[in-house]
């Protein structure tokens, strides 16, 4: 394939527009395009399944803050990636999906890829003009970055093979039709809404700020902490922004199902809760139970459709989190608020899960996941980046493993699919190579994603993979307790042996003393990832019991 084809021109344009890393599984349709991007300077990471590739790209984008691409084969490669694409779209990840398009109706690969993109909440753009293809591809990258959108870039196979007219992209205006649900463009905060929020903060005696994904934007942490100090607010985060306020003495940690009892009590005692780029959904507010009966609820978001999407809001404000917080600083006089001596003493003594007593349910054969996770938290360096899968176990690594900042936990749970955790951790690890990467998985998710153990070995990532293995789909076991559970329970599986079969290190843990090989691995060269097959007890986790109402 010569360099003057549209595949070559589009590949170069994507890299020039800012895509530095592309993940994927290469087939006939995306072979030349992917190689063109590599030739133009992009790094390519091959996954073993397109679903893994899409999730790796999603996690890389979230953790690095850079727009990222996933390259797939037309038709079946694209559909294999759909779960990962849906997760990215729901999370508003700036991701470009490079999807060659079979245009011949008789092709085995011919499907309506644009309709599938729309169905999962992504936009789709189809390039049709060889003379403008490179320019339009660059515009898609800008649109994904600036609007925080997941966009499926459809590339008809005849177009990719066509010759790109010399200089055409520089002289022709180009254009494309974007289809799908996009976010409303960010706008400045309405002055009346800003005044209403200032009044609410000024009247509050016990304000709590809860920051979400929007609080991870550059400058937002500092702006929110300055405003919290002025207004006497305690600070907390949703799970996706865990670690944002790490080190601040007024930090309550995660708000919602993962909250410690002490944190939940203080949040429930607030007379004002402000969600900063935070959906305040059922998980973050425990189905509303963290909102006091007389509490005022405010929400700041740069997307109009996000305001009040999950609950009634008293004070909605459209605007950028950092800009709104800075604008409010001049309107709020210093006050003690919730930052009383009593609250200070409670926080200094510790209200997190590390300071919350529990009855250890460990047996001779199985370890309590709380005991396991707390022991690992003490053992592992704090400079870590964690990818978490979904399931009954997920609260333990999310809440019990500390993270140094908002880039320390990559939480791909918007779609609540199991099987994404390993790929999440791989993508996050590549974005932050100076940290210890940790994947926290259930046995179900680990077995779904086992093909990516080969990717882990091939890349040589020094990752610690923790598998909370209860030989079941634990969430379903506890949700349907008392019914026939044969469909969601399984014979014991030696996941450590499976890991060794892929060329990784594997160890089985049933009690704290079995963690000695982990210490040895940490002290060694870490040439291969270590998989912990942790045989855990099967009690329902606290957050799941509350979510399911039992």
């Amino acid at each position: 394939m010569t360099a003057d084809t549209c595949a070559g021109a589009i590949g170069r344009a994507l890299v020039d527009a800012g895509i530095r890393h592309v993940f994927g599984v290469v087939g006939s349709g995306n072979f030349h395009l992917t190689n063109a991007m590599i030739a133009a300077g992009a790094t390519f990471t091959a996954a073993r399944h397109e679903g893994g590739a899409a999730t790796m790209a999603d996690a890389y984008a979230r953790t690095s803050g850079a727009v990222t691409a996933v390259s797939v084969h037309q038709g079946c490669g694209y559909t294999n990636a759909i779960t990962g694409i849906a997760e990215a779209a729901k999370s508003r990840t700036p991701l470009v999906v490079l999807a060659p398009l079979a245009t011949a109706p008789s092709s085995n690969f011919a499907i309506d890829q644009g309709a599938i993109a729309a169905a999962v909440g992504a936009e789709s753009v189809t390039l049709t003009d060889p003379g403008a293809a490179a320019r339009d591809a660059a515009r898609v990258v800008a649109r994904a970055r600036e609007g925080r959108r997941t966009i499926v870039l459809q590339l008809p196979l005849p177009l990719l093979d066509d010759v790109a007219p010399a200089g055409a992209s520089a002289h022709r205006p180009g254009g494309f039709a974007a289809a799908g649900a996009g976010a409303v463009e960010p706008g400045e905060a309405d002055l009346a809404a800003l005044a209403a929020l200032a009044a609410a903060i000024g009247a509050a005696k016990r304000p709590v700020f809860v920051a979400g994904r929007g609080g991870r934007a550059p400058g937002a942490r500092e702006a929110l902490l300055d405003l919290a100090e002025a207004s006497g607010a305690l600070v907390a985060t949703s799970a996706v922004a865990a670690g944002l306020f790490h080190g601040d003495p007024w930090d309550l940690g995660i708000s919602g199902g993962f909250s410690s009892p002490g944190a939940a009590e203080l949040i429930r005692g607030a007379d004002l809760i402000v969600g900063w780029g935070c959906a305040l959904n059922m998980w973050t507010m425990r189905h509303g139970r963290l909102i006091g009966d007389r509490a005022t609820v405010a929400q700041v978001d740069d997307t109009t459709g996000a305001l009040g999407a999950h609950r009634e809001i008293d004070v909605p404000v459209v605007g950028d989190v950092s800009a709104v917080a800075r604008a409010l600083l001049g309107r709020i006089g210093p006050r003690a608020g919730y930052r009383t001596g009593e609250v200070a003493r409670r926080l200094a003594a510790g209200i997190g899960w590390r300071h919350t007593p529990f009855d250890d349910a460990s047996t001779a054969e199985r370890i309590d996941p709380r005991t396991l996770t707390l022991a690992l938290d003490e053992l592992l360096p704090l400079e870590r980046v964690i990818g978490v899968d979904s399931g009954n176990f997920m609260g333990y690594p999310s809440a019990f493993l500390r993270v140094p900042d908002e880039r320390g936990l990559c939480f791909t749970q918007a779609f609540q699919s199991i099987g994404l955790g390993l790929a999440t951790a791989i993508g996050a690890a590549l974005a932050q190579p100076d940290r210890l990467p940790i994947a926290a998985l259930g046995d179900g998710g680990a077995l779904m994603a086992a093909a990516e153990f080969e990717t882990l070995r091939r890349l040589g990532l020094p990752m610690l993979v923790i598998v909370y293995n209860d030989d079941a789909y634990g969430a379903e076991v506890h949700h349907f307790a008392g019914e026939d559970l044969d469909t969601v329970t399984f014979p014991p599986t030696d996941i450590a042996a499976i890991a060794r079969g892929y060329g990784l290190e594997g160890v089985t843990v049933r009690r704290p003393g079995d963690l000695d090989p982990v210490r040895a691995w940490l002290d060694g060269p870490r040439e291969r990832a270590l998989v912990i097959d942790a045989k855990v007890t099967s009690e329902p986790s606290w957050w799941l019991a509350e979510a399911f109402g039992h």
Side-chain angles (χ1 to χ4, degrees), residues 259-351:
S259 292
S260 68
E265 180 185 349
L266 288 169
I267 296 169
R268 196 177 293 112
D271 60 358
L272 171 68
I273 292 177
V274 185
W276 297 91
C278 178
L280 300 178
N281 59 24
M282 58 181 282
W283 306 109
T284 307
M285 291 289 109
R286 289 191 178 181
H287 298 271
R289 289 190 290 273
L290 288 186
I291 301 173
D293 292 339
R294 297 184 179 181
T296 298
V297 180
Q299 187 181 2
V300 179
D301 203 286
D302 64 8
T303 304
T304 302
L307 297 173
H310 295 275
R311 64 185 61 261
E312 186 176 345
I313 302 299
D314 301 303
V315 186
V317 181
V318 179
D320 172 77
V321 166
S322 181
V324 172
R326 290 293 178 202
L328 286 169
L329 267 173
R331 299 167 177 252
I332 303 296
R335 65 198 65 233
Y338 217 165
R339 300 188 173 195
T340 65
E342 178 188 352
V343 172
R345 287 188 291 274
R346 288 184 63 182
L347 294 178
I351 63 169

Side-chain angles (χ1 to χ4, degrees), residues 170-184:
H171 300 291
R172 299 181 62 172
F176 53 76
V184 176

Side-chain angles (χ1 to χ4, degrees), residues 91-473:
S91 300
R92 293 182 61 188
T93 299
L95 179 68
V96 177
V97 182
L98 306 175
L101 179 65
T103 55
S106 60
S107 170
N108 290 344
F109 302 122
I111 57 172
D112 192 341
Q113 296 184 169
I116 295 173
V120 299
E123 288 189 5
S124 66
V125 170
T126 303
L127 302 190
T128 58
D129 184 350
R135 181 183 218 172
D136 287 348
R139 290 176 62 198
V140 167
V141 176
R143 184 175 177 83
R145 178 192 300 112
E146 295 163 9
R148 300 198 314 279
R149 291 169 166 87
T150 295
I151 303 179
V152 176
L153 181 57
Q154 299 197 91
L155 305 164
L157 292 174
L159 175 80
L160 290 173
D161 292 338
D162 206 342
V163 175
S169 62
H171 300 291
R172 299 181 62 172
F176 53 76
V184 176
E185 294 291 347
E188 295 184 0
D190 179 78
L191 291 179
L194 198 66
L197 181 54
I201 294 175
K205 296 181 178 179
R206 298 179 305 281
V208 171
F209 291 173
V210 183
R213 196 183 315 277
R216 296 179 53 175
R221 178 184 189 274
E222 293 76 15
L224 289 175
L225 285 178
D226 287 345
L227 182 62
E229 181 177 7
S231 58
L234 307 182
V235 292
T237 71
S238 67
V240 296
L244 178 66
F245 301 122
H246 176 79
D248 187 86
W250 303 101
D251 180 20
L252 302 178
I254 297 176
S255 172
F258 297 160
S259 292
S260 68
E265 180 185 349
L266 288 169
I267 296 169
R268 196 177 293 112
D271 60 358
L272 171 68
I273 292 177
V274 185
W276 297 91
C278 178
L280 300 178
N281 59 24
M282 58 181 282
W283 306 109
T284 307
M285 291 289 109
R286 289 191 178 181
H287 298 271
R289 289 190 290 273
L290 288 186
I291 301 173
D293 292 339
R294 297 184 179 181
T296 298
V297 180
Q299 187 181 2
V300 179
D301 203 286
D302 64 8
T303 304
T304 302
L307 297 173
H310 295 275
R311 64 185 61 261
E312 186 176 345
I313 302 299
D314 301 303
V315 186
V317 181
V318 179
D320 172 77
V321 166
S322 181
V324 172
R326 290 293 178 202
L328 286 169
L329 267 173
R331 299 167 177 252
I332 303 296
R335 65 198 65 233
Y338 217 165
R339 300 188 173 195
T340 65
E342 178 188 352
V343 172
R345 287 188 291 274
R346 288 184 63 182
L347 294 178
I351 63 169
W353 286 110
R354 297 172 66 245
H355 302 92
T356 302
F358 64 92
D359 294 327
D360 193 329
S362 299
T363 68
E365 295 299 316
R366 291 191 174 270
I367 188 170
D368 188 309
R370 296 166 293 186
T371 302
L372 168 73
T373 312
L374 288 171
L376 287 170
D377 184 57
E378 293 295 331
L379 184 61
L380 304 175
L382 182 59
E383 284 300 310
R384 58 186 70 155
V385 56
I386 307 167
V388 180
D389 213 325
S390 191
N392 178 58
F393 75 92
M394 63 188 287
Y396 302 114
S398 299
F400 285 52
L401 291 179
R402 291 166 293 172
V403 291
D405 54 32
E406 71 276 16
R407 305 287 180 187
L409 174 65
C410 194
F411 195 73
T412 47
Q413 301 295 332
F415 201 26
Q416 289 186 256
S417 171
I418 70 172
L420 305 186
L422 181 57
T424 295
I426 292 174
L430 291 172
Q432 298 197 89
D434 295 333
R435 295 187 179 189
L436 172 69
I438 302 170
L441 321 174
D443 53 294
L447 293 172
M448 279 189 182
E452 303 306 345
F453 280 151
E454 189 281 327
T455 303
L456 194 56
R457 176 69 181 104
R458 174 169 27 92
L459 296 176
L461 290 174
M463 183 180 292
L464 182 69
V465 181
I466 312 165
V467 182
Y468 293 78
N469 186 356
D470 61 358
D471 298 312
Y473 291 142

